[in-house]
């Protein structure tokens, strides 16, 4: 195998040897790089979070998909970090000024980990978050009971496993942009979330878009950006 020489220091890159942090991402996109914790050691997660926060001290930084060991390491080494064992996330630093509202809707309590990841992500990416739990289609009166909250959001994240019908139901009730998240809960014929994914991709309700199975992070980023663009901008004339 041919090894090319290291190009040396690069603008916008912080080289840690095992990772090259994209330190220009915040300036390019408005959002800092996020640490994907799966496959990383607890020590690497801690160092990556610490380095990103040092690079962007006035902006919250996020780590996702953290093992229990990584969560414990972050809590011990970075005591100001907020660790969520349900969503398997850690946030270091203060979130930005929040604009717009993302409604995070979970069909059942088994969907809570993915919904929690989506909610934390949307908040770190700059949107207010309204979490609505356990309103699956087996009891439609629960959905109708929160319809005003659904309609008040600038973007909705609807998290559902089993047959994945909840996004279509909500998409037919309100005219809010909606991102559906299939989850891998359910019995054997759900095929680890594939059944819910296909159901959501074939939704007959307009305005529904879909991310990959269990991808609460991707949904949170998308919804926060929609909400931020939808909300009135903060200016001197409109504080």
């Amino acid at each position: 195998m041919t090894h090319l020489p290291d190009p040396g220091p690069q603008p916008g890159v912080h080289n840690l040897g095992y990772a090259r942090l994209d330190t220009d991402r915040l300036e390019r996109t408005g959002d800092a790089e996020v640490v994907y914790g799966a496959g990383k050691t607890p020590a690497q997660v801690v160092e990556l979070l610490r380095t990103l926060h040092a690079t962007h001290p006035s902006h919250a930084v996020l780590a996702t998909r953290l093992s229990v060991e990584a969560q414990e390491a972050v809590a011990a080494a970075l005591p100001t970090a907020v660790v969520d064992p349900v969503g398997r996330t850690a946030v270091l630093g203060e979130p930005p000024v929040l604009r717009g509202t993302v409604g995070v809707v979970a069909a059942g309590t088994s969907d809570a980990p993915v919904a929690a990841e989506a909610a934390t992500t949307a908040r770190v990416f700059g949107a207010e978050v309204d979490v609505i739990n356990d309103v699956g289609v087996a009891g439609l009166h629960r959905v109708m009971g929160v319809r005003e909250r659904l309609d008040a959001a600038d973007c909705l994240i609807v998290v559902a496993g089993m047959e994945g019908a909840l996004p279509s139901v909500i998409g037919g009730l309100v005219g809010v942009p909606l991102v559906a998240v299939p989850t891998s809960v359910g019995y054997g014929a759900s095929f680890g979330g594939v059944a819910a994914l296909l159901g959501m991709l074939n939704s007959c309700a307009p305005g529904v878009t879909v991310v990959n199975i269990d991808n609460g992070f991707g949904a949170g980023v998308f919804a926060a950006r929609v909400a931020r663009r939808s909300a009135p901008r903060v200016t001197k004339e409109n504080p």
Side-chain angles (χ1 to χ4, degrees):
M1 181 182 294
T2 301
H3 293 278
L4 297 177
D6 191 291
Q10 295 174 273
V13 176
H14 190 117
N15 190 352
L16 294 173
Y18 59 87
R20 298 173 188 266
L21 289 176
D22 180 3
T23 55
D24 273 358
R25 190 174 304 182
L26 179 62
E27 183 176 350
R28 290 197 318 271
T29 69
D31 301 303
E33 184 173 7
V34 172
V35 179
Y36 178 66
K40 295 180 175 66
T41 68
Q44 288 173 339
V45 171
V46 168
E47 184 177 26
L48 289 164
L49 270 176
R50 182 183 282 128
T51 304
L52 281 172
H53 184 55
T55 305
H56 311 299
S58 61
H59 198 284
V61 291
L62 170 67
T64 67
R65 298 303 169 98
L66 300 182
S67 66
V68 172
E69 293 77 13
Q71 293 171 40
E72 293 172 346
V74 169
L78 305 170
T80 60
V82 178
V83 178
D84 176 12
V86 177
R88 296 180 293 166
T89 59
V91 180
L92 183 62
E94 294 298 318
V97 176
L98 302 180
R99 297 199 312 270
T101 300
V102 171
V104 179
V105 187
T109 53
S110 296
D111 302 306
V114 177
E117 180 184 70
T120 296
T121 301
R123 194 173 293 110
V124 170
F125 275 66
E128 294 275 4
V129 174
D130 180 20
V131 178
I132 302 170
N133 286 316
D134 199 19
V135 289
V137 298
L140 283 177
H141 56 292
R142 298 177 297 185
V143 179
M144 299 307 296
V146 297
R147 183 172 178 178
E148 290 185 2
R149 290 168 65 183
L150 299 173
D151 208 30
D154 295 297
C155 190
L156 291 168
I157 298 171
V158 182
V159 184
M162 299 295 187
E163 83 281 22
L166 187 61
S168 291
V169 171
I170 293 178
L173 286 175
V174 298
V176 179
L178 189 157
V179 53
V181 188
T183 65
S184 54
V185 304
Y187 294 102
S190 69
F191 299 108
V194 173
L197 172 64
L198 294 176
M200 292 174 181
L201 287 172
N202 287 284
S203 173
C204 64
V208 173
T209 190
V210 187
V211 296
N212 210 342
I213 299 167
D214 292 336
N215 189 9
F217 168 74
V221 174
F222 174 83
R225 288 179 172 177
V226 170
R228 283 171 8 201
R229 291 278 182 169
S230 301
R233 298 304 176 91
V234 177
T235 65
K236 290 182 180 179
E237 294 75 23
N238 182 35

